[in-house]
Short mmCIF file of all heavy atoms in Angstrom, two decimals:
data_model
loop_
_atom_site.label_atom_id
_atom_site.label_comp_id
_atom_site.label_asym_id
_atom_site.label_seq_id
_atom_site.Cartn_x
_atom_site.Cartn_y
_atom_site.Cartn_z
N ALA A 33 -38.23 -26.52 -15.41
CA ALA A 33 -37.58 -25.75 -14.37
C ALA A 33 -36.49 -26.57 -13.76
O ALA A 33 -35.49 -26.08 -13.31
CB ALA A 33 -38.61 -25.21 -13.36
N ASN A 35 -34.93 -29.20 -14.96
CA ASN A 35 -33.83 -29.38 -15.76
C ASN A 35 -32.95 -28.18 -15.90
O ASN A 35 -31.71 -28.25 -15.95
CB ASN A 35 -34.35 -29.87 -17.29
CG ASN A 35 -34.97 -31.14 -17.27
OD1 ASN A 35 -34.62 -32.10 -16.37
ND2 ASN A 35 -35.71 -31.49 -18.21
N PRO A 50 -11.12 -8.46 2.89
CA PRO A 50 -12.46 -7.99 3.42
C PRO A 50 -13.36 -7.57 2.16
O PRO A 50 -12.91 -7.36 1.12
CB PRO A 50 -12.15 -6.70 4.17
CG PRO A 50 -10.77 -6.27 3.79
CD PRO A 50 -10.07 -7.44 3.40
N ARG A 74 -25.48 -20.58 -17.56
CA ARG A 74 -25.19 -21.95 -17.16
C ARG A 74 -24.16 -21.96 -16.08
O ARG A 74 -24.09 -22.99 -15.37
CB ARG A 74 -24.62 -22.68 -18.43
CG ARG A 74 -25.80 -23.00 -19.45
CD ARG A 74 -25.26 -23.80 -20.50
NE ARG A 74 -24.15 -23.14 -21.33
CZ ARG A 74 -24.39 -22.30 -22.31
NH1 ARG A 74 -25.64 -22.01 -22.65
NH2 ARG A 74 -23.41 -21.75 -22.97
N PHE A 112 6.52 -19.11 -7.01
CA PHE A 112 6.15 -18.20 -8.18
C PHE A 112 7.18 -17.18 -8.26
O PHE A 112 6.91 -15.95 -7.95
CB PHE A 112 4.78 -17.69 -7.78
CG PHE A 112 3.61 -18.79 -7.54
CD1 PHE A 112 3.17 -18.92 -6.23
CD2 PHE A 112 3.22 -19.51 -8.64
CE1 PHE A 112 2.24 -19.88 -6.09
CE2 PHE A 112 2.34 -20.54 -8.41
CZ PHE A 112 1.77 -20.69 -7.18
N PRO A 121 11.67 -2.55 -8.37
CA PRO A 121 11.61 -1.04 -8.25
C PRO A 121 11.86 -0.41 -9.62
O PRO A 121 12.70 -0.93 -10.42
CB PRO A 121 12.68 -0.61 -7.27
CG PRO A 121 12.81 -1.94 -6.50
CD PRO A 121 12.59 -3.12 -7.39
N ALA A 127 -1.31 0.25 -11.40
CA ALA A 127 -1.61 -1.14 -11.40
C ALA A 127 -2.22 -1.65 -12.81
O ALA A 127 -1.96 -2.74 -13.11
CB ALA A 127 -2.59 -1.41 -10.31
N VAL A 132 -1.58 -5.38 -17.20
CA VAL A 132 -1.57 -5.74 -18.62
C VAL A 132 -0.22 -6.22 -19.09
O VAL A 132 -0.17 -7.22 -19.74
CB VAL A 132 -1.96 -4.44 -19.46
CG1 VAL A 132 -1.81 -4.73 -20.86
CG2 VAL A 132 -3.47 -4.13 -19.25
N VAL A 153 -4.50 -20.56 -14.87
CA VAL A 153 -4.36 -19.19 -14.54
C VAL A 153 -5.48 -18.40 -15.37
O VAL A 153 -5.60 -18.53 -16.47
CB VAL A 153 -3.02 -18.48 -14.88
CG1 VAL A 153 -3.04 -17.01 -14.48
CG2 VAL A 153 -1.90 -19.21 -14.02
N ASP A 175 15.97 6.49 8.89
CA ASP A 175 14.94 6.48 9.82
C ASP A 175 14.11 5.16 10.10
O ASP A 175 13.47 4.92 11.04
CB ASP A 175 13.76 7.56 9.55
CG ASP A 175 14.36 9.05 9.75
OD1 ASP A 175 15.48 9.16 10.42
OD2 ASP A 175 13.77 9.95 9.18
N GLU A 193 15.63 -6.00 3.75
CA GLU A 193 16.94 -6.34 4.09
C GLU A 193 17.89 -5.14 3.80
O GLU A 193 18.84 -4.89 4.66
CB GLU A 193 17.28 -7.61 3.30
CG GLU A 193 18.75 -8.18 3.68
CD GLU A 193 19.07 -9.42 2.89
OE1 GLU A 193 18.19 -10.00 2.28
OE2 GLU A 193 20.23 -9.88 2.90
N GLY A 201 6.64 -10.70 9.28
CA GLY A 201 5.74 -11.37 8.20
C GLY A 201 4.32 -11.50 8.90
O GLY A 201 4.16 -11.97 9.98
N VAL A 215 2.72 -3.81 17.77
CA VAL A 215 3.54 -4.88 17.33
C VAL A 215 4.50 -4.50 16.18
O VAL A 215 5.59 -5.02 16.17
CB VAL A 215 2.76 -6.05 16.89
CG1 VAL A 215 3.52 -7.26 16.44
CG2 VAL A 215 1.89 -6.57 18.07
N MET A 245 7.81 2.24 -4.21
CA MET A 245 8.96 1.44 -3.94
C MET A 245 8.95 0.07 -4.76
O MET A 245 10.11 -0.30 -5.04
CB MET A 245 9.13 1.13 -2.41
CG MET A 245 9.27 2.38 -1.49
SD MET A 245 9.83 1.84 0.14
CE MET A 245 8.40 0.81 0.61
N LEU A 247 5.97 -2.96 -6.60
CA LEU A 247 4.56 -3.43 -6.93
C LEU A 247 4.46 -4.88 -6.32
O LEU A 247 5.48 -5.56 -6.15
CB LEU A 247 4.30 -3.50 -8.41
CG LEU A 247 4.29 -2.10 -9.14
CD1 LEU A 247 4.15 -2.25 -10.63
CD2 LEU A 247 3.09 -1.27 -8.67
N SER A 263 -18.79 -27.98 -20.36
CA SER A 263 -18.70 -28.15 -21.82
C SER A 263 -17.64 -27.34 -22.39
O SER A 263 -17.21 -26.37 -21.82
CB SER A 263 -20.06 -27.73 -22.37
OG SER A 263 -20.22 -26.37 -22.24
N ARG A 267 -16.22 -23.58 -21.22
CA ARG A 267 -14.82 -23.40 -20.93
C ARG A 267 -14.30 -22.26 -21.74
O ARG A 267 -13.57 -21.24 -21.19
CB ARG A 267 -13.93 -24.72 -21.21
CG ARG A 267 -14.03 -25.75 -20.22
CD ARG A 267 -12.99 -26.78 -20.45
NE ARG A 267 -12.94 -27.45 -21.62
CZ ARG A 267 -13.63 -28.58 -21.91
NH1 ARG A 267 -14.36 -29.20 -20.89
NH2 ARG A 267 -13.64 -29.15 -23.09
N SER A 274 -11.67 -13.78 -19.32
CA SER A 274 -10.59 -13.76 -18.42
C SER A 274 -9.34 -13.29 -19.14
O SER A 274 -9.25 -12.43 -20.03
CB SER A 274 -10.32 -15.20 -17.86
OG SER A 274 -11.58 -15.77 -17.24
N GLY A 288 -8.17 2.37 -8.70
CA GLY A 288 -9.22 3.14 -8.12
C GLY A 288 -9.22 3.09 -6.53
O GLY A 288 -9.45 4.01 -5.89
N THR A 321 18.63 0.37 -4.40
CA THR A 321 17.97 -0.72 -5.15
C THR A 321 18.80 -1.14 -6.43
O THR A 321 18.35 -2.00 -7.21
CB THR A 321 16.61 -0.19 -5.61
OG1 THR A 321 16.73 1.02 -6.34
CG2 THR A 321 15.75 -0.05 -4.46
N VAL A 332 15.97 -16.76 -11.19
CA VAL A 332 14.99 -17.58 -12.00
C VAL A 332 15.90 -18.41 -13.07
O VAL A 332 15.26 -18.85 -14.13
CB VAL A 332 13.96 -16.77 -12.70
CG1 VAL A 332 13.05 -16.20 -11.66
CG2 VAL A 332 14.53 -15.64 -13.56
N ARG A 347 8.55 -3.95 -19.17
CA ARG A 347 8.62 -2.52 -18.76
C ARG A 347 8.15 -1.62 -19.95
O ARG A 347 7.52 -0.66 -19.81
CB ARG A 347 10.02 -2.12 -18.39
CG ARG A 347 10.40 -2.66 -16.97
CD ARG A 347 11.78 -2.44 -16.54
NE ARG A 347 11.93 -2.72 -15.04
CZ ARG A 347 13.00 -2.97 -14.44
NH1 ARG A 347 14.20 -3.06 -15.22
NH2 ARG A 347 13.07 -3.23 -13.13
#
Side-chain angles (χ1 to χ4, degrees):
N35 287 341
R74 291 183 296 275
F112 305 109
V132 166
V153 178
D175 293 340
E193 183 178 350
V215 175
M245 297 191 300
L247 294 171
S263 68
R267 281 197 296 273
S274 302
T321 56
V332 297
R347 286 177 170 161

